[in-house]
Amino acid sequence: MAGRGEDRRARGAGLAGQAGEEAAGDLFLADISEAVVTRLNPEATLLVIESWTPQRGLEVTERE
């Protein structure tokens, strides 16, 4: 998704261990029940709200 916006995610993430020999760093396991991204449309005339849950899938709403 291009442009500036805000995102929010429900639930959390926990440390799952080391990444391994191929990559440095840590692995995390995320339990996400909802994700929401808000942004303006390209013309900056509408607020675009994109939300996702496993039950509903992706929903896109535009507001003035």
Side-chain angles (χ1 to χ4, degrees):
M1 203 174 304
R4 294 173 55 174
E6 177 180 312
D7 68 274
R8 294 178 186 240
R9 292 165 297 283
R11 300 258 174 119
L15 185 60
Q18 296 294 313
E21 295 181 20
E22 295 89 33
D26 297 321
L27 294 176
F28 290 87
L29 179 63
D31 182 12
I32 299 174
S33 62
E34 182 175 12
V36 179
V37 175
T38 57
R39 60 181 171 82
L40 293 176
N41 69 343
E43 296 80 23
T45 57
L46 298 172
L47 178 66
V48 180
I49 304 162
E50 297 176 293
S51 64
W52 173 90
T53 68
Q55 296 80 21
R56 288 190 326 254
L58 179 64
E59 292 182 348
V60 179
T61 304
E62 294 183 337
R63 294 188 182 161
E64 291 187 16

